[in-house]
Amino acid sequence: MNIHIMGSVAFDRIMSYKGNFEDLLLPDKLHMLSVVFLIDRIEEKRGGTASNIAYNLSMLGEFPHIYCSVGHDFKGSYEKALQNMKINLDGIRVLEEQLTACAYITADQKGNQITGFSPAAMNTPADPSAYAKIQQGDFGIVSPGNAEDMGKFPQIFKERNVPYIYDPGQQIPAVSKESHLASIEGSEILIGNDYEIALISERTGKSKSELLEKTKYILTTLGEGGCQISQKGKEDIVIKAPKITTLADPTGAGDSLRAGLLKGLTSGLDIETSVKIGSTCAAFCIEKYGTQEHYYSLENFRQRYKENYGECPF
């Protein structure tokens, strides 16, 4: 079974702020913001939703296909790093006159984030010639990336009987109501953090219960509160977050969770176990500064899973 990831490949410029954003916001002045954060650290790292997910899947023994457009600066260390992880890059379109997308991410000491994102090459859809590799029996995920692709890939997955996760994330405002509804319809899972799920509900005009008429599950990530699983006609289930040694950087934790979720589902495991696998992936990620800086062997992973949830299922 092949895993197909539609999303972004980007450079992340990650900055940390030792205070709390909320301490700098005046409720009666939100209509005229003028806020400065004194950054104590900045680093450039590999990032992007598709490559973050693929990076974690590679450590779990899966070698997915990525679909997106990048700029000329992708060639070199970034491309080589993904090739060394045995990630399939045949769905990546390189635009020689463009720069690769870049995210500017600032996180405070509570893990809250403010992000600015320059799409650059990501404004161009993925190369359609790569779609032929998507076949019945595979599994897909639609992550934040090119808005046109975010509407196109759910159609391709459904036409080819490929189950998929819909994960619009940061691109929720860039996608139309009609496209959101069409993409959620027939998906295996709709996933987002609690703010994103509320925003999808507002954007589509559909309540959570109405959205559950269109998708099998809604997964709501709650940070240190774990992950909530919602299903039509059943009580919500909350999977606790695993223990961590330190909170270095929350950036990329959601993508890590999605990788573990995909590993579980494509291994034939149930939704609860798959979320536990994803949560374990996320724990490794947030203990390192950057989205592709952590590493775990399968032995390390199994031990950590066992410490939090019991015997690892793979």
Side-chain angles (χ1 to χ4, degrees), residues 159-215:
E159 288 169 0
R160 302 182 188 184
N161 295 315
V162 173
Y164 67 94
I165 297 168
Y166 186 57
D167 171 31
Q170 306 97 315
Q171 285 288 77
I172 293 171
V175 177
S176 69
K177 170 184 176 179
E178 293 73 23
S179 183
H180 278 309
L181 289 173
S183 298
I184 295 168
E185 183 77 51
S187 63
E188 289 289 304
I189 297 169
L190 169 63
I191 187 170
N193 60 36
D194 52 350
Y195 176 81
E196 289 165 349
I197 295 300
L199 186 58
I200 291 169
S201 182
E202 187 274 335
R203 181 79 171 171
T204 61
K206 300 291 183 182
S207 66
K208 188 173 180 179
S209 60
E210 289 174 320
L211 291 172
L212 282 169
E213 296 286 342
K214 298 179 175 295
T215 186

Side-chain angles (χ1 to χ4, degrees), residues 15-245:
M15 297 163 277
S16 59
Y17 169 58
K18 287 187 176 180
N20 298 318
F21 295 145
E22 61 189 35
D23 296 336
L24 301 177
L25 301 178
L26 301 176
D28 61 337
K29 298 294 182 182
L30 294 180
H31 63 289
M32 49 181 297
L33 282 176
S34 179
V35 179
V36 176
F37 306 118
L38 183 61
I39 302 303
D40 68 281
R41 181 177 180 180
I42 179 169
E43 293 187 27
E44 183 176 87
K45 304 289 187 180
R46 298 189 305 273
T49 55
S51 48
N52 289 344
I53 295 169
Y55 176 82
N56 283 272
L57 278 168
S58 176
M59 290 187 287
L60 293 172
E62 303 290 340
F63 308 107
H65 297 258
I66 294 176
Y67 300 85
C68 70
S69 293
V70 299
H72 60 82
D73 50 340
F74 170 75
K75 293 182 176 181
S77 61
Y78 202 151
E79 182 179 37
K80 185 175 181 180
L82 296 184
Q83 288 172 337
N84 288 341
M85 299 291 287
K86 299 182 180 179
I87 294 165
N88 289 286
L89 307 182
D90 42 9
I92 291 183
R93 170 188 280 180
V94 180
L95 305 176
E96 296 292 350
E97 302 301 318
Q98 294 279 346
L99 290 170
T100 300
C102 187
Y104 300 82
I105 305 161
T106 306
D108 70 6
Q109 65 178 3
K110 287 187 176 180
N112 298 306
Q113 294 180 322
I114 295 176
T115 301
F117 187 74
S118 173
M122 199 185 79
N123 282 321
T124 301
D127 186 352
S129 67
Y131 299 169
K133 297 186 179 295
I134 304 172
Q135 300 291 330
Q136 185 173 350
D138 293 343
F139 207 104
I141 182 169
V142 177
S143 295
N146 177 271
E148 183 179 330
D149 282 342
M150 290 178 68
K152 186 183 301 179
F153 271 76
Q155 296 176 21
I156 295 170
F157 289 145
K158 282 185 279 194
E159 288 169 0
R160 302 182 188 184
N161 295 315
V162 173
Y164 67 94
I165 297 168
Y166 186 57
D167 171 31
Q170 306 97 315
Q171 285 288 77
I172 293 171
V175 177
S176 69
K177 170 184 176 179
E178 293 73 23
S179 183
H180 278 309
L181 289 173
S183 298
I184 295 168
E185 183 77 51
S187 63
E188 289 289 304
I189 297 169
L190 169 63
I191 187 170
N193 60 36
D194 52 350
Y195 176 81
E196 289 165 349
I197 295 300
L199 186 58
I200 291 169
S201 182
E202 187 274 335
R203 181 79 171 171
T204 61
K206 300 291 183 182
S207 66
K208 188 173 180 179
S209 60
E210 289 174 320
L211 291 172
L212 282 169
E213 296 286 342
K214 298 179 175 295
T215 186
K216 289 184 181 179
Y217 301 99
I218 293 178
L219 297 189
T220 308
T221 58
L222 305 169
E224 63 183 14
C227 184
Q228 179 178 282
I229 304 170
S230 302
Q231 186 178 9
K232 180 183 176 182
K234 295 186 178 181
E235 291 291 323
D236 289 348
I237 299 169
V238 175
I239 303 299
K240 68 176 184 178
K243 298 175 183 177
I244 61 171
T245 57

